Amino acid sequence: MIDLHTHSIFSDGTNTPAELVSMALERNLKAIALTDHDTVGGVAQLLEAADGSAIEAVPGIELSADCKRGTMHVLGYFIDHTCRALLEKIETVQQGRQLRNQEILKKLNKLGYVLMWSDVEKLAGSDVVGRPHFADALIENGHVKSRKSAFDLLLAKGRPAYAERERYSAKECIELIRNAGGIAVLAHPATLNLPPDQLKGLVKGLTECGLGGIEVYYAEYNTENMKRFGEWAKEFGLVCTGGTDFHGANTPDLKLGTGFGQLRVPDEALEHLKAALK
């Protein structure tokens, strides 16, 4: 059993990379990939923690791509986390995040949900502050009761405290990952909120841009999702990958490796990724 989609304190998870390795060992996983949002800050720690253990650690990233509706993320596996071009592009993304965060804070205060920047920053646990940390600050300050209510009421796309930020196109994300020696995979395609025919057309177009895989196994998928995405993977010659999208204590019911209990990512998914790299 493997898990190719996890997050640490370097983005919006609650566990250190070393803790993720320990948890993976406890749950008898064979491999784990760290795919923090727009950062490779935790990759070195993951590789160090897994060195000499029974866990194969996969250096990864999850890049946010520009899209008109829904959410599009592109996962990168087996990237060179020291690649200068990758680090420079990530720095640009982080600068955009900082500007967006300032705008969110202004909007929240204007709406009467008073927060200080320090309220948000202390909950981040890393240098990558995102909307989940604003949600946590809103909870801690008594404005809302849960992350879900924070997003539904204020922070989700289209809600009053939402602020857009600069993102690379999906094609640019794919090129960035490939230029860093990795293989690009479309994460949780269902979150794009597109009709099946439009989503399939998008996947086909991304494949022509160099996409190497699609996330077929995912904690929140139903059987229909997995069947559909698996068929597309076969049709377009993509690797079927998957993972839990583990965030630690932020989603306590979702477990590393098994998601909500039903998820099983085939071990051969990792071998297929390696083969595709060659």
CSV table of all heavy atoms in Angstrom, one decimal, residues 36-84:
chain,number,residue,atom,x,y,z
A,36,ASP,N,3.6,19.0,-1.0
A,36,ASP,CA,3.1,20.2,-0.5
A,36,ASP,C,2.8,21.3,-1.5
A,36,ASP,O,3.3,21.2,-2.7
A,36,ASP,CB,4.2,20.8,0.5
A,36,ASP,CG,4.1,20.2,1.9
A,36,ASP,OD1,3.0,19.9,2.3
A,36,ASP,OD2,5.2,20.0,2.5
A,37,HIS,N,1.9,22.2,-1.2
A,37,HIS,CA,1.4,23.2,-2.1
A,37,HIS,C,2.5,24.2,-2.5
A,37,HIS,O,2.9,25.0,-1.6
A,37,HIS,CB,0.2,23.9,-1.6
A,37,HIS,CG,-1.0,23.0,-1.4
A,37,HIS,ND1,-1.8,22.6,-2.5
A,37,HIS,CD2,-1.6,22.5,-0.3
A,37,HIS,CE1,-2.8,21.9,-2.1
A,37,HIS,NE2,-2.7,21.8,-0.8
A,38,ASP,N,2.9,24.2,-3.7
A,38,ASP,CA,3.8,25.3,-4.3
A,38,ASP,C,5.1,25.4,-3.5
A,38,ASP,O,5.6,26.5,-3.4
A,38,ASP,CB,3.0,26.6,-4.3
A,38,ASP,CG,1.8,26.5,-5.1
A,38,ASP,OD1,1.8,26.0,-6.3
A,38,ASP,OD2,0.7,27.0,-4.7
A,39,THR,N,5.6,24.4,-2.9
A,39,THR,CA,6.8,24.4,-2.2
A,39,THR,C,7.5,23.0,-2.1
A,39,THR,O,6.8,22.0,-2.1
A,39,THR,CB,6.6,25.0,-0.7
A,39,THR,OG1,7.9,25.0,-0.1
A,39,THR,CG2,5.7,24.1,0.1
A,40,VAL,N,8.8,23.0,-2.1
A,40,VAL,CA,9.5,21.8,-1.9
A,40,VAL,C,10.3,21.9,-0.6
A,40,VAL,O,11.3,21.1,-0.3
A,40,VAL,CB,10.5,21.5,-3.1
A,40,VAL,CG1,9.7,21.1,-4.3
A,40,VAL,CG2,11.4,22.7,-3.3
A,41,GLY,N,9.9,22.8,0.3
A,41,GLY,CA,10.6,23.1,1.5
A,41,GLY,C,10.8,21.8,2.4
A,41,GLY,O,11.8,21.8,3.2
A,42,GLY,N,9.9,20.9,2.4
A,42,GLY,CA,10.0,19.7,3.3
A,42,GLY,C,10.6,18.5,2.7
A,42,GLY,O,10.7,17.5,3.4
A,43,VAL,N,10.9,18.6,1.4
A,43,VAL,CA,11.4,17.3,0.7
A,43,VAL,C,12.7,16.8,1.3
A,43,VAL,O,12.8,15.6,1.5
A,43,VAL,CB,11.5,17.6,-0.8
A,43,VAL,CG1,12.3,16.5,-1.5
A,43,VAL,CG2,10.2,17.8,-1.4
A,44,ALA,N,13.6,17.7,1.6
A,44,ALA,CA,14.9,17.2,2.1
A,44,ALA,C,14.7,16.5,3.4
A,44,ALA,O,15.3,15.4,3.7
A,44,ALA,CB,15.9,18.4,2.3
A,45,GLN,N,13.8,17.0,4.3
A,45,GLN,CA,13.6,16.3,5.6
A,45,GLN,C,12.9,15.0,5.4
A,45,GLN,O,13.2,14.0,6.1
A,45,GLN,CB,12.7,17.3,6.4
A,45,GLN,CG,13.4,18.5,6.9
A,45,GLN,CD,12.5,19.3,7.8
A,45,GLN,OE1,11.6,18.8,8.5
A,45,GLN,NE2,12.8,20.6,8.0
A,46,LEU,N,12.0,14.9,4.4
A,46,LEU,CA,11.3,13.6,4.1
A,46,LEU,C,12.4,12.6,3.7
A,46,LEU,O,12.3,11.4,4.2
A,46,LEU,CB,10.3,13.8,3.0
A,46,LEU,CG,9.5,12.5,2.6
A,46,LEU,CD1,8.3,12.3,3.5
A,46,LEU,CD2,9.1,12.5,1.2
A,47,LEU,N,13.2,12.9,2.7
A,47,LEU,CA,14.2,12.0,2.2
A,47,LEU,C,15.2,11.6,3.3
A,47,LEU,O,15.6,10.4,3.4
A,47,LEU,CB,15.0,12.7,1.1
A,47,LEU,CG,14.2,13.0,-0.2
A,47,LEU,CD1,15.1,13.7,-1.2
A,47,LEU,CD2,13.6,11.8,-0.8
A,48,GLU,N,15.5,12.5,4.2
A,48,GLU,CA,16.4,12.2,5.3
A,48,GLU,C,15.8,11.2,6.3
A,48,GLU,O,16.4,10.3,6.8
A,48,GLU,CB,16.9,13.5,6.0
A,48,GLU,CG,17.8,13.2,7.2
A,48,GLU,CD,18.2,14.5,7.9
A,48,GLU,OE1,17.8,15.6,7.5
A,48,GLU,OE2,19.1,14.4,8.8
A,49,ALA,N,14.5,11.5,6.6
A,49,ALA,CA,13.8,10.7,7.6
A,49,ALA,C,13.6,9.3,7.1
A,49,ALA,O,13.6,8.3,7.8
A,49,ALA,CB,12.4,11.3,7.9
A,50,ALA,N,13.4,9.1,5.8
A,50,ALA,CA,13.1,7.8,5.2
A,50,ALA,C,14.4,7.0,4.9
A,50,ALA,O,14.3,5.8,4.6
A,50,ALA,CB,12.3,8.0,3.9
A,51,ASP,N,15.5,7.7,4.9
A,51,ASP,CA,16.8,7.0,4.5
A,51,ASP,C,17.1,5.9,5.4
A,51,ASP,O,17.1,6.0,6.6
A,51,ASP,CB,17.9,8.1,4.6
A,51,ASP,CG,19.2,7.5,4.0
A,51,ASP,OD1,19.2,6.7,3.1
A,51,ASP,OD2,20.3,7.8,4.6
A,52,GLY,N,17.3,4.7,4.8
A,52,GLY,CA,17.6,3.5,5.6
A,52,GLY,C,16.4,2.8,6.2
A,52,GLY,O,16.5,1.8,6.9
A,53,SER,N,15.2,3.3,5.9
A,53,SER,CA,13.9,2.7,6.5
A,53,SER,C,13.3,1.9,5.4
A,53,SER,O,13.8,1.8,4.3
A,53,SER,CB,13.0,3.8,6.9
A,53,SER,OG,12.3,4.4,5.8
A,54,ALA,N,12.2,1.3,5.8
A,54,ALA,CA,11.4,0.4,4.8
A,54,ALA,C,10.5,1.3,3.9
A,54,ALA,O,9.8,0.7,3.0
A,54,ALA,CB,10.6,-0.6,5.6
A,55,ILE,N,10.5,2.6,4.1
A,55,ILE,CA,9.6,3.5,3.3
A,55,ILE,C,10.4,4.1,2.2
A,55,ILE,O,11.5,4.6,2.4
A,55,ILE,CB,9.1,4.6,4.2
A,55,ILE,CG1,8.1,4.1,5.2
A,55,ILE,CG2,8.4,5.7,3.4
A,55,ILE,CD1,6.8,3.6,4.7
A,56,GLU,N,9.8,4.0,1.0
A,56,GLU,CA,10.4,4.7,-0.2
A,56,GLU,C,9.8,6.1,-0.2
A,56,GLU,O,8.6,6.3,-0.3
A,56,GLU,CB,10.1,4.0,-1.5
A,56,GLU,CG,10.7,4.7,-2.7
A,56,GLU,CD,10.6,4.0,-4.0
A,56,GLU,OE1,10.1,2.8,-3.9
A,56,GLU,OE2,11.0,4.5,-5.0
A,57,ALA,N,10.6,7.1,-0.1
A,57,ALA,CA,10.2,8.5,-0.1
A,57,ALA,C,10.3,9.1,-1.5
A,57,ALA,O,11.3,9.0,-2.2
A,57,ALA,CB,11.0,9.3,0.9
A,58,VAL,N,9.2,9.7,-2.0
A,58,VAL,CA,9.1,10.3,-3.3
A,58,VAL,C,9.1,11.8,-3.2
A,58,VAL,O,8.2,12.4,-2.6
A,58,VAL,CB,7.9,9.8,-4.1
A,58,VAL,CG1,7.8,10.4,-5.5
A,58,VAL,CG2,7.9,8.3,-4.1
A,59,PRO,N,10.1,12.5,-3.7
A,59,PRO,CA,10.0,14.0,-3.7
A,59,PRO,C,9.0,14.5,-4.7
A,59,PRO,O,8.9,14.1,-5.8
A,59,PRO,CB,11.4,14.4,-4.2
A,59,PRO,CG,11.9,13.2,-5.0
A,59,PRO,CD,11.3,12.0,-4.4
A,60,GLY,N,8.1,15.4,-4.2
A,60,GLY,CA,7.0,15.8,-5.0
A,60,GLY,C,6.6,17.3,-4.7
A,60,GLY,O,7.2,17.9,-3.8
A,61,ILE,N,5.6,17.7,-5.4
A,61,ILE,CA,5.0,19.1,-5.2
A,61,ILE,C,3.6,19.1,-5.8
A,61,ILE,O,3.3,18.2,-6.6
A,61,ILE,CB,5.9,20.1,-5.9
A,61,ILE,CG1,5.6,21.5,-5.5
A,61,ILE,CG2,5.8,20.0,-7.5
A,61,ILE,CD1,6.5,22.6,-6.0
A,62,GLU,N,2.8,20.0,-5.3
A,62,GLU,CA,1.5,20.2,-5.9
A,62,GLU,C,1.4,21.7,-6.3
A,62,GLU,O,1.3,22.5,-5.4
A,62,GLU,CB,0.4,19.8,-4.9
A,62,GLU,CG,-1.0,19.9,-5.5
A,62,GLU,CD,-2.1,19.3,-4.6
A,62,GLU,OE1,-1.8,19.1,-3.4
A,62,GLU,OE2,-3.2,19.1,-5.1
A,63,LEU,N,1.3,21.9,-7.6
A,63,LEU,CA,1.3,23.3,-8.1
A,63,LEU,C,-0.2,23.7,-8.4
A,63,LEU,O,-0.9,22.9,-8.9
A,63,LEU,CB,2.1,23.4,-9.4
A,63,LEU,CG,3.6,23.1,-9.3
A,63,LEU,CD1,4.3,23.1,-10.6
A,63,LEU,CD2,4.2,24.2,-8.4
A,64,SER,N,-0.5,24.9,-8.0
A,64,SER,CA,-1.8,25.4,-8.3
A,64,SER,C,-1.8,26.0,-9.7
A,64,SER,O,-1.0,26.8,-10.0
A,64,SER,CB,-2.2,26.5,-7.3
A,64,SER,OG,-2.2,26.0,-6.0
A,65,ALA,N,-2.8,25.6,-10.5
A,65,ALA,CA,-2.8,26.0,-11.9
A,65,ALA,C,-4.0,26.9,-12.1
A,65,ALA,O,-5.0,26.8,-11.5
A,65,ALA,CB,-2.9,24.8,-12.9
A,66,ASP,N,-3.8,27.8,-13.1
A,66,ASP,CA,-4.9,28.8,-13.4
A,66,ASP,C,-6.1,28.0,-14.1
A,66,ASP,O,-5.8,27.2,-15.0
A,66,ASP,CB,-4.4,29.9,-14.3
A,66,ASP,CG,-5.4,31.0,-14.5
A,66,ASP,OD1,-6.1,31.4,-13.6
A,66,ASP,OD2,-5.5,31.4,-15.7
A,67,CYS,N,-7.3,28.3,-13.7
A,67,CYS,CA,-8.5,27.7,-14.3
A,67,CYS,C,-9.7,28.6,-14.1
A,67,CYS,O,-9.7,29.4,-13.2
A,67,CYS,CB,-8.8,26.3,-13.8
A,67,CYS,SG,-9.2,26.2,-12.1
A,68,LYS,N,-10.6,28.6,-15.0
A,68,LYS,CA,-11.7,29.5,-15.0
A,68,LYS,C,-12.8,29.1,-13.9
A,68,LYS,O,-13.4,30.0,-13.4
A,68,LYS,CB,-12.4,29.5,-16.4
A,68,LYS,CG,-11.6,30.1,-17.5
A,68,LYS,CD,-12.3,30.2,-18.8
A,68,LYS,CE,-11.4,30.8,-19.9
A,68,LYS,NZ,-12.1,30.9,-21.2
A,69,ARG,N,-12.9,27.8,-13.7
A,69,ARG,CA,-13.9,27.4,-12.6
A,69,ARG,C,-13.3,26.2,-11.9
A,69,ARG,O,-12.4,25.5,-12.3
A,69,ARG,CB,-15.2,27.0,-13.3
A,69,ARG,CG,-15.1,25.9,-14.3
A,69,ARG,CD,-16.5,25.6,-14.9
A,69,ARG,NE,-17.4,25.0,-13.9
A,69,ARG,CZ,-18.6,24.5,-14.2
A,69,ARG,NH1,-19.1,24.7,-15.4
A,69,ARG,NH2,-19.4,24.0,-13.3
A,70,GLY,N,-13.8,26.0,-10.7
A,70,GLY,CA,-13.2,24.9,-9.9
A,70,GLY,C,-11.8,25.1,-9.4
A,70,GLY,O,-11.3,26.2,-9.4
A,71,THR,N,-11.1,24.0,-9.1
A,71,THR,CA,-9.7,24.0,-8.7
A,71,THR,C,-8.9,23.1,-9.5
A,71,THR,O,-9.3,21.9,-9.7
A,71,THR,CB,-9.7,23.6,-7.2
A,71,THR,OG1,-10.5,24.6,-6.4
A,71,THR,CG2,-8.2,23.6,-6.7
A,72,MET,N,-7.8,23.5,-10.0
A,72,MET,CA,-6.9,22.7,-10.7
A,72,MET,C,-5.5,22.6,-10.1
A,72,MET,O,-4.9,23.7,-9.9
A,72,MET,CB,-6.7,23.1,-12.2
A,72,MET,CG,-5.8,22.2,-13.0
A,72,MET,SD,-5.4,22.8,-14.6
A,72,MET,CE,-7.0,22.8,-15.5
A,73,HIS,N,-5.1,21.4,-9.7
A,73,HIS,CA,-3.7,21.2,-9.2
A,73,HIS,C,-3.0,20.2,-10.0
A,73,HIS,O,-3.6,19.2,-10.5
A,73,HIS,CB,-3.8,20.8,-7.7
A,73,HIS,CG,-4.3,21.8,-6.8
A,73,HIS,ND1,-4.8,21.5,-5.5
A,73,HIS,CD2,-4.4,23.1,-6.9
A,73,HIS,CE1,-5.2,22.6,-4.9
A,73,HIS,NE2,-5.0,23.6,-5.7
A,74,VAL,N,-1.7,20.5,-10.2
A,74,VAL,CA,-0.9,19.5,-10.9
A,74,VAL,C,0.2,19.0,-10.0
A,74,VAL,O,1.0,19.8,-9.4
A,74,VAL,CB,-0.2,20.2,-12.2
A,74,VAL,CG1,0.6,19.2,-12.9
A,74,VAL,CG2,-1.3,20.8,-13.1
A,75,LEU,N,0.3,17.7,-9.8
A,75,LEU,CA,1.3,17.1,-9.0
A,75,LEU,C,2.5,16.8,-9.8
A,75,LEU,O,2.4,16.4,-11.0
A,75,LEU,CB,0.7,15.7,-8.4
A,75,LEU,CG,-0.5,15.8,-7.5
A,75,LEU,CD1,-1.3,14.5,-7.4
A,75,LEU,CD2,0.0,16.2,-6.1
A,76,GLY,N,3.7,16.9,-9.1
A,76,GLY,CA,4.9,16.6,-9.8
A,76,GLY,C,5.6,15.6,-8.9
A,76,GLY,O,5.8,15.7,-7.7
A,77,TYR,N,6.1,14.5,-9.5
A,77,TYR,CA,6.8,13.4,-8.8
A,77,TYR,C,8.2,13.2,-9.3
A,77,TYR,O,8.5,13.4,-10.5
A,77,TYR,CB,6.0,12.1,-9.0
A,77,TYR,CG,4.6,12.1,-8.3
A,77,TYR,CD1,3.5,12.0,-9.1
A,77,TYR,CD2,4.5,12.1,-7.0
A,77,TYR,CE1,2.2,12.0,-8.5
A,77,TYR,CE2,3.2,12.1,-6.4
A,77,TYR,CZ,2.1,12.1,-7.1
A,77,TYR,OH,0.9,12.1,-6.6
A,78,PHE,N,9.1,12.8,-8.4
A,78,PHE,CA,10.5,12.6,-8.7
A,78,PHE,C,11.2,13.8,-9.2
A,78,PHE,O,12.1,13.7,-10.1
A,78,PHE,CB,10.6,11.4,-9.6
A,78,PHE,CG,10.2,10.1,-9.0
A,78,PHE,CD1,9.0,9.5,-9.4
A,78,PHE,CD2,10.9,9.4,-8.1
A,78,PHE,CE1,8.5,8.3,-8.9
A,78,PHE,CE2,10.5,8.3,-7.5
A,78,PHE,CZ,9.3,7.7,-7.9
A,79,ILE,N,10.7,15.0,-8.8
A,79,ILE,CA,11.4,16.2,-9.2
A,79,ILE,C,12.7,16.4,-8.5
A,79,ILE,O,13.0,15.8,-7.4
A,79,ILE,CB,10.5,17.4,-8.8
A,79,ILE,CG1,10.1,17.4,-7.3
A,79,ILE,CG2,9.2,17.5,-9.7
A,79,ILE,CD1,9.4,18.7,-6.9
A,80,ASP,N,13.6,17.2,-9.1
A,80,ASP,CA,14.8,17.6,-8.4
A,80,ASP,C,14.5,18.8,-7.6
A,80,ASP,O,14.3,19.9,-8.1
A,80,ASP,CB,15.9,17.9,-9.5
A,80,ASP,CG,17.1,18.5,-8.9
A,80,ASP,OD1,17.3,18.6,-7.6
A,80,ASP,OD2,18.0,19.0,-9.7
A,81,HIS,N,14.4,18.6,-6.3
A,81,HIS,CA,13.9,19.7,-5.4
A,81,HIS,C,15.0,20.8,-5.2
A,81,HIS,O,14.7,21.8,-4.5
A,81,HIS,CB,13.5,19.1,-4.0
A,81,HIS,CG,14.6,18.5,-3.2
A,81,HIS,ND1,15.2,17.3,-3.6
A,81,HIS,CD2,15.3,19.0,-2.2
A,81,HIS,CE1,16.1,17.0,-2.7
A,81,HIS,NE2,16.2,18.0,-1.8
A,82,THR,N,16.1,20.6,-5.8
A,82,THR,CA,17.2,21.7,-5.8
A,82,THR,C,17.3,22.4,-7.1
A,82,THR,O,18.1,23.3,-7.3
A,82,THR,CB,18.5,21.1,-5.4
A,82,THR,OG1,19.0,20.2,-6.5
A,82,THR,CG2,18.5,20.2,-4.2
A,83,CYS,N,16.4,22.1,-8.0
A,83,CYS,CA,16.5,22.7,-9.4
A,83,CYS,C,16.3,24.2,-9.3
A,83,CYS,O,15.2,24.7,-8.7
A,83,CYS,CB,15.4,22.1,-10.3
A,83,CYS,SG,15.2,22.9,-11.9
A,84,ARG,N,17.2,25.0,-9.8
A,84,ARG,CA,17.2,26.4,-9.6
A,84,ARG,C,16.0,27.1,-10.3
A,84,ARG,O,15.3,27.9,-9.7
A,84,ARG,CB,18.5,27.1,-10.2
A,84,ARG,CG,18.5,28.6,-10.0
A,84,ARG,CD,19.8,29.1,-10.5
A,84,ARG,NE,20.9,28.6,-9.8
A,84,ARG,CZ,21.4,29.2,-8.6
A,84,ARG,NH1,20.7,30.2,-8.2
A,84,ARG,NH2,22.4,28.7,-8.0
